[in-house]
Amino acid sequence: NYGYLTWEWASGLRGYSYPLIFASIYKALQLLGKDDVQLLIWVPRLAQAVLAAFADVKLYSLVRHLENAETAKCVYFCQLCSWFTWYSCTRTLTNTMETLLTIFALSCYPIKGSKMGSSCKYLALIALAIVIRPTAVIPWIPLVFSHFLQEQRKAVLILHNCIPVGLVTVGTSLIIDRVFFGEWVLVQLNFLKFNVLQNLGTFYGSHPWHWYFTQGLPVILGTHLPFFIHGCVLAPKRYRIFLMAVIWTVLVYRTLSHKEFRFIYPVLPFCMFFCGYSLKHLKAWKKSAARFLLLSNLLPALYAGLIHQRGTLDVMSHIQQLCNNSYQSQAFVFIMMPCHSTPFYSHVHCPLKMRFLQCPPDLTGNESYIDEADVFYSNPLGWLNKEFYNDTLLPSHLIFFSVLEEEISSFLALRGYEKTASVFHTHIPQGRVGSHIYVYGKKTEMNH
């Protein structure tokens, strides 16, 4: 009965279906008496990793069925090399689940000239993906439309497959959300309203229209890009629908002003299909190309996965140690970073008093609205003095990026804080994000 719900849950923008998977794992650990903090951190990642491994194998068997074992090996190799897949596939982001379900659905998709394919299965998997993240519908629009056009028994497809699958999944999602929200909430509709109709995503930053073409796709493809282009030229006509799905998805996301790399992660498996096709046809160059792909992706994968921006996770172990101390009830941790920089209670697992700077978007239409994090950063020293005007309100521990230290040094000295830890975060500090994260504690607290 402690923890923190972000504003998305208050506004009904997020559904409970996906978190329920991890909540069930947590419950099982609790019943087994094994719910220590390390397992709470690692088990969801392991579960996601196992699913990702299954998806990779599915991709291999799909290509093997459509083409042959050699092409399948090449596609599989490209998929396993992709630095962005390494970086994302074990993360418990809804985008990751959306991508994995897309691969599973693709393996049941009735592509032209293929004997395999089950309308009911692939539609059920898409529906599940849409429940988890409504944007999952985007790459599938051209694919479902193409399937509909080539299907002889159109009425059967709609009445026996689409409608029942839709009703069952939306119904289940509605019931799960009804249980947890305590009222009827259609999350998918709220999500659409917020991101498309009101375009409130811009609150978290906006990018130029060409961003996905000039940065988004080239970055997530990395050194696979020339192979992808080559593969698109080579691949037979019947796979054009995969390319259509990629182009269509990027074009749709282009229209939303808030853009992120992870949004187009679900089209990566489609791209890998073409990369593998290209690799297979590079007869004499095949081995050199494979070596090049492996080496050029290994470094970014290891760097992005193990070193870059790791401080926000590492600092949690310092916070977690406060749980073991006798003065846990007096401890109060204040994270002074851009909002949602660090994980929260899942990495602490004790009712420690914690707070971070808030940044919910304004849902009331107030033109002059500024969120707490922006107010703080416009004058950190003034904000701290005003917020903690009384010594009894002071947090026992302050956590912030190194770039902030100089600006608030007088507050730290005056209120009796001293640095207890410095945690490496990134080699590329930018704006509010520093190279290190500092942990400051009150001197009186240290003596306990």
Side-chain angles (χ1 to χ4, degrees):
N1 288 326
Y2 65 91
Y4 182 84
L5 279 180
T6 55
W7 65 270
E8 290 101 332
W9 297 95
S11 308
L13 278 186
R14 294 274 182 271
Y16 281 92
S17 309
Y18 183 50
L20 198 58
I21 300 168
F22 303 111
S24 311
I25 295 173
Y26 284 172
K27 193 69 191 166
L29 286 173
Q30 186 201 7
L31 295 172
L32 294 168
K34 293 268 181 276
D35 61 333
D36 67 82
V37 71
Q38 284 309 315
L39 282 176
L40 293 195
I41 294 169
W42 282 99
V43 171
R45 296 184 197 178
L46 287 169
Q48 200 77 50
V50 169
L51 274 174
F54 270 117
D56 290 345
V57 174
K58 270 285 184 216
L59 189 63
Y60 170 80
S61 58
L62 166 74
V63 183
R64 190 174 168 170
H65 174 79
L66 291 175
E67 286 289 317
N68 51 41
E70 197 191 346
T71 312
K73 271 183 198 158
C74 291
V75 173
Y76 190 51
F77 176 79
C78 288
Q79 169 75 354
L80 293 187
C81 269
S82 164
W83 80 271
F84 196 77
T85 302
W86 274 59
Y87 179 66
S88 305
C89 71
T90 59
R91 296 179 163 226
T92 50
L93 297 165
T94 47
N95 309 85
T96 304
M97 202 59 175
E98 181 188 352
T99 306
L100 301 184
L101 287 169
T102 292
I103 296 177
F104 290 132
L106 203 55
S107 68
C108 309
Y109 177 75
I111 188 165
K112 249 189 191 143
S114 152
K115 297 281 172 284
M116 254 167 64
S118 150
S119 304
C120 203
K121 263 191 200 166
Y122 99 86
L123 288 168
L125 287 159
I126 301 169
L128 186 60
I130 294 167
V131 164
I132 288 171
R133 190 175 176 85
T135 52
V137 71
I138 299 168
W140 283 98
I141 290 172
L143 288 155
V144 173
F145 188 63
S146 157
H147 174 209
F148 180 72
L149 290 181
Q150 69 185 27
E151 179 67 52
Q152 266 94 47
R153 302 174 305 163
K154 291 183 172 42
V156 173
L157 178 68
I158 290 175
L159 296 172
H160 287 212
N161 294 327
C162 296
I163 293 175
V165 162
L167 288 175
V168 170
T169 38
V170 172
T172 312
S173 155
L174 261 175
I175 291 162
I176 291 172
D177 289 333
R178 171 78 179 85
V179 171
F180 290 100
F181 278 116
E183 56 184 346
W184 293 106
V185 176
L186 189 56
V187 172
Q188 291 73 19
L189 186 67
N190 292 345
F191 187 92
L192 182 80
K193 228 160 53 184
F194 179 87
N195 287 302
V196 181
L197 307 177
Q198 297 172 298
N199 200 9
L200 288 168
T202 47
F203 183 78
Y204 293 108
S206 55
H207 299 79
W209 64 268
H210 55 76
W211 190 84
Y212 283 121
F213 296 104
T214 52
Q215 288 173 55
L217 208 55
V219 167
I220 72 166
L221 276 170
T223 50
H224 285 77
L225 186 61
F227 297 92
F228 171 62
I229 294 167
H230 181 225
C232 290
V233 176
L234 278 184
K237 253 189 189 156
R238 66 182 185 137
Y239 300 126
R240 279 212 189 127
I241 189 66
F242 291 168
L243 183 59
M244 274 292 301
V246 175
I247 295 168
W248 161 258
T249 305
V250 175
L251 285 173
V252 171
Y253 273 120
R254 184 192 72 90
T255 60
L256 297 174
S257 43
H258 179 59
K259 300 174 174 66
E260 286 186 41
F261 293 114
R262 64 189 174 99
F263 291 170
I264 52 168
Y265 178 33
V267 302
L268 206 53
F270 294 100
C271 299
M272 289 306 144
F273 180 83
F274 294 104
C275 297
Y277 209 84
S278 156
L279 190 63
K280 188 220 167 200
H281 286 82
L282 291 174
K283 304 214 168 15
W285 295 91
K286 196 155 111 187
K287 277 200 169 129
S288 319
R291 276 194 206 103
F292 164 72
L293 272 177
L294 184 63
L295 290 172
S296 60
N297 277 278
L298 196 59
L299 289 171
L302 292 171
Y303 182 74
L306 299 173
I307 301 163
H308 182 56
Q309 293 187 348
R310 62 169 298 146
T312 45
L313 286 175
D314 290 346
V315 79
M316 295 312 288
S317 57
H318 290 275
I319 297 177
Q320 213 281 319
Q321 282 160 15
L322 300 174
C323 289
N324 315 330
N325 287 358
S326 51
Y327 75 97
Q328 180 203 311
S329 52
Q330 283 103 51
F332 169 23
V333 177
F334 185 28
I335 301 167
M336 301 189 292
M337 293 173 168
C339 59
H340 309 300
S341 288
T342 62
F344 220 44
Y345 284 104
S346 62
H347 286 52
V348 176
H349 197 38
C350 77
L352 191 67
K353 189 181 177 192
M354 296 200 291
R355 175 184 170 187
F356 63 90
L357 295 167
Q358 305 286 330
C359 62
D362 171 57
L363 302 170
T364 60
N366 174 6
E367 290 291 318
S368 56
Y369 171 79
I370 306 172
D371 67 63
E372 185 182 48
D374 283 342
V375 175
F376 169 81
Y377 279 106
S378 62
N379 177 10
L381 192 60
W383 190 93
L384 285 169
N385 286 324
K386 191 174 157 192
E387 189 74 11
F388 304 114
Y389 58 89
N390 188 329
D391 274 7
T392 55
L393 302 171
L394 285 172
S396 62
H397 293 79
L398 297 174
I399 292 164
F400 52 86
F401 283 119
S402 45
V403 286
L404 201 61
E405 187 180 45
E406 206 176 313
E407 212 168 334
I408 60 168
S409 55
S410 60
F411 173 86
L412 298 170
L414 206 66
R415 304 297 170 99
Y417 285 99
E418 63 185 8
K419 193 188 295 183
T420 59
S422 169
V423 179
F424 169 77
H425 182 60
T426 178
H427 291 115
I428 317 156
Q430 271 179 320
R432 297 171 178 180
V433 178
S435 62
H436 285 72
I437 294 169
Y438 294 154
V439 180
Y440 270 77
K442 279 188 79 62
K443 284 173 192 163
T444 46
E445 306 287 347
M446 299 301 162
N447 307 331
H448 277 275

